[in-house]
Amino acid sequence: MKPAPFEYAAPRELDEALDLLAEHGDEARVLAGGQSLVRMMNARQVSPAVVIDINRVPGLDTLGLFGDNGSSTLRLGATVRQRTSELSGEVAAYAPLLAEAGAQVAHAPVRARGTVVGSVAFADPSAELPTALLALDGLVKVRSRAAERTVAADDFFTGPFRTSLAPDEMVVAVDVPAAPGRTGSAFVELTRRHGDLPVCGAAAVVGVGDDGRVSHVRVALCGADERPIRVPAVEAAVLGADGPAAFTEAAAVAADGTNPIPSCHGSADFRRHLARVLTARALRTAFARAASPKETTDA
């Protein structure tokens, strides 16, 4: 099947792209990598009247740090490819979780075209990159012709394939605060086959204080609910722990109150079970990496 007829626009300025969004609203779709949009158009799951290709807009391919040394932030613009992020030295240094999660997305040819922001804006509840952004306390930079705003990742995702974006808005970048010293992270997932979306995945960021105890922790899950979710109950249980023995017990509540979407790839109960197992595994690995920067495997 091929897509329904549509108009194609290739603006060369951000304001031009925003003008088109303001004019066409729900009838328009933004194209960056197109790895999800084109597939859905071919299946006629979506039939936009206008496709706005932003790849020629200057400045949207920004990847780098801004701010001073005390509050550095990593910014990835709307057309930064997933493969670029995965291989970036700055991402590896300042947000390694994003690189680790990104390396597990589909296959390298898909990542060479797909964008980090596109995955975030698509808001698949099983996707790796939105979940990593959530665990990293990331921010979503949103623009319309009338205004700009910054949305916390936890407020951006509102449901399966749904976000807080208005019809005339687009995501222009995502920001990730640079991790402090003695911080480790891990992203673990279970897939049916290499390259598939995960049945469930867990992202963990763990900071360790001078006393060897957990001083900072963030845990996020994909495939465990109708959107990527944070797990504050696990975070609270792990805070202050001085070793991995506490992680399995804390992870036992990872799936409490979740509402996984069952499918032929995994029932809701199976996904809840995976959420507990993968959360414990991600916490152990992140803690080991924080305690010993050379540690790269599950402890």
Side-chain angles (χ1 to χ4, degrees):
M1 188 180 293
K2 295 300 180 183
F6 62 91
E7 293 183 19
Y8 172 79
R12 294 182 178 274
E13 298 292 338
L14 180 57
D15 286 346
E16 184 183 353
L18 297 175
D19 286 343
L20 288 165
L21 274 176
E23 178 182 354
H24 296 285
D26 281 330
E27 295 298 312
R29 291 290 187 276
V30 174
L31 171 70
Q35 299 303 290
S36 299
L37 177 62
V38 172
R39 171 175 53 83
M40 294 179 69
M41 290 174 63
N42 283 340
R44 301 211 178 184
Q45 294 173 312
V46 296
S47 296
V50 180
V51 171
I52 305 169
D53 184 343
I54 61 171
N55 283 286
R56 295 171 179 83
V57 175
L60 294 183
D61 59 350
T62 297
L63 194 168
L65 292 172
F66 69 92
D68 57 38
N69 292 332
S71 58
S72 295
T73 297
L74 182 70
R75 173 164 293 174
L76 294 91
T79 58
V80 172
R81 309 298 166 185
Q82 295 164 5
R83 186 70 170 161
T84 302
S85 170
E86 175 190 346
L87 299 177
S88 164
E90 287 180 312
V91 174
Y94 293 97
L97 179 64
L98 199 62
E100 184 175 13
Q104 299 181 60
V105 174
H107 301 278
V110 173
R111 300 195 297 272
R113 186 64 190 172
T115 64
V116 174
V117 165
S119 179
V120 170
F122 190 57
D124 189 317
S126 294
E128 294 93 344
L129 292 173
T131 308
L133 187 70
L134 194 55
L136 289 165
D137 285 331
L139 301 173
V140 182
K141 310 295 288 186
V142 175
R143 285 282 303 273
S144 70
R145 185 170 63 179
E148 59 181 291
R149 61 192 180 103
T150 299
V151 186
D154 208 7
D155 297 324
F156 183 73
F157 306 111
T158 60
F161 308 99
R162 296 199 304 271
T163 70
S164 61
L165 277 178
D168 64 339
E169 291 181 319
M170 64 174 280
V171 181
V172 295
V174 293
D175 287 351
V176 178
R182 298 202 72 187
T183 297
S185 62
F187 189 96
V188 295
E189 63 177 33
L190 178 80
T191 62
R192 292 179 67 245
R193 295 177 302 248
H194 172 66
D196 283 359
L197 278 169
V199 179
C200 185
V205 177
V206 176
V208 176
D210 293 338
D211 59 359
R213 295 180 178 273
V214 175
S215 59
H216 171 84
V217 58
R218 294 288 183 270
V219 178
L221 298 172
C222 58
D225 208 295
E226 295 182 344
R227 46 155 283 179
I229 57 169
R230 280 268 305 276
V231 197
V234 172
E235 296 169 358
V238 168
L239 200 62
D242 60 358
F247 297 157
T248 300
E249 182 178 352
V253 300
D256 289 3
T258 61
N259 185 31
I261 302 174
S263 73
C264 61
H265 304 313
S267 67
D269 284 342
F270 181 54
R271 291 172 189 267
R272 291 188 185 99
H273 168 72
L274 287 176
R276 300 180 187 105
V277 173
L278 297 178
T279 295
R281 189 176 301 169
L283 284 168
R284 288 196 300 270
T285 304
F287 180 82
R289 289 171 174 172
S292 175
K294 295 182 180 180
E295 179 62 56
T296 57
T297 59
D298 188 3

